[in-house]
Amino acid sequence: MADTAPVWAVVLLPFALAAAAALVAGFDAVLAAAAAGGRQGSPLRAAQAPLRAGLRLLGQQPRRTTAGDPWLGRIGLALVPVAAVLAGAVLPWGFRAVTDPVVGVVWFNAMEALAWAAVWLAGWGPNSALSLVGGYRFLAQGLAYELPHMLALTTAALGAESLRVGEVVTAQRGLWFAVWMPVAFAVFLLSALAMAFWGPFDHPLGRDAAGGAAAEYAGVDRLVLLAGRWLLLVVTAGFSVPLFLGGGHGPWLPAWAWTLLKTAAVLGLLVAGRRLLPTLRMERYMEFAWTVLVPLTLLQALAVAIVVLDR
C-alpha cells in the first residue's frame, strides 16, 4: 500500500500536472519545429509556442452559436481537465499518492469514462454539426480502445492480486510487469494516446471536420479543452509507471526521481512516436482491436492468471 501524501498535495496536484502538460507540449513543439526544418526559429523559441498560443487564446472572445447550450458545453469542457486531475489522484509519486483507495485501478478507469462524457458534452453543446461529429467520434473511438484497455488494467491488477495501486507497485519490487506482461503494456500505451485523442487517434479534433469537438470554441473555452487533452495524456502515460514499470522502485536514486524519469521516458516515447503512425480511421482500428488486441490481451491475462495460481 502506498503512503498517503500530506493534505497540501491535494492543492499541489493540479499545478504539478499542469506544469508537466506544459513541458510535454513544449517538447512536442520542438519536435514539430525540427520536422519542419527549423523554420520556427531556435528550439527555445519553438518550446515557447504553446505558451504563446495559450496567451492568444486568453485574449480571444468566446464564440457563440445559434440555439447552442453554452452551459452544457462548458460543463463538458470543464470536466475534461477535472477528469484528468481526479484520475491523477491515485498516481503514486515514489511511494506516496494523494489517495490510495482499495479500488484505485477501478477509480482511474472510471475517471476515463467521465472524460468520455465530457468530450461528448463539449461536442453537443454548441448545436453544431461538425462539433457534434467530433463528440461522437470520441465515443466511437472509446468503443474501439476501451475493452483492450480495461483488459490491460485488469491484467496488471491480476498480477498484483489487488486493485489498490500501491499494492500493484509493491508487487513489482523484483520484476516489472512490463517484462512479463508486454502485450498489456503495449495496449495500455496505445490507449493512452486514444484517451487523449492525440496523435494517430486525433479524429475527434480532426481537420476534416474543421476541428471536430473544438470547432465552435474559441478563447478560454478552447484553451480549457486543449489543456485538458494534454492533462489526459500526462495522466494516462504516468499511470503506466505504477502499473507496469515498477513505480518508484530502482537503484541509487530516490523513489520520486525514478517515478519522474520513467514518466518522462513514457511521455517522450508517446510524443515522438506519434509521428511514426498515421491517423487511424475508427472502423479500421475497431476491427483491429476486436480481432487482434482483444484476443492478445485475453491470452496475456490467461498467462498471468496461470502464473498467479502457481505461486
Side-chain angles (χ1 to χ4, degrees), residues 144-156 158 180-191 244 285 288-305:
Y145 82 81
E146 184 61 25
L147 186 56
H149 175 67
M150 289 176 63
L151 289 170
L153 290 172
T154 303
T155 302
L158 180 62
W180 62 291
M181 303 178 191
V183 173
F185 180 51
V187 167
F188 185 90
L189 292 183
L190 271 179
S191 63
F244 297 102
Y285 183 67
F288 175 71
W290 281 93
T291 60
V292 178
L293 295 184
V294 169
L296 284 178
T297 48
L298 283 172
L299 288 173
Q300 178 77 94
L302 176 62
V304 171

Side-chain angles (χ1 to χ4, degrees), residues 79 111 223 303:
L79 282 178
M111 293 306 101
L223 179 61

Side-chain angles (χ1 to χ4, degrees), residues 104-174:
V105 174
V106 177
W107 169 264
F108 180 83
N109 196 228
M111 293 306 101
E112 292 182 314
L114 180 61
W116 274 30
V119 177
W120 183 81
L121 286 174
W124 179 276
N127 190 35
S128 165
L130 294 175
S131 182
L132 186 59
V133 165
Y136 273 112
R137 279 180 173 180
F138 191 61
L139 293 184
Q141 186 161 288
L143 293 174
Y145 82 81
E146 184 61 25
L147 186 56
H149 175 67
M150 289 176 63
L151 289 170
L153 290 172
T154 303
T155 302
L158 180 62
E161 300 182 65
S162 175
L163 291 169
R164 192 188 293 271
V165 179
E167 293 183 6
V168 175
V169 174
T170 302
Q172 298 175 74
R173 186 179 290 112

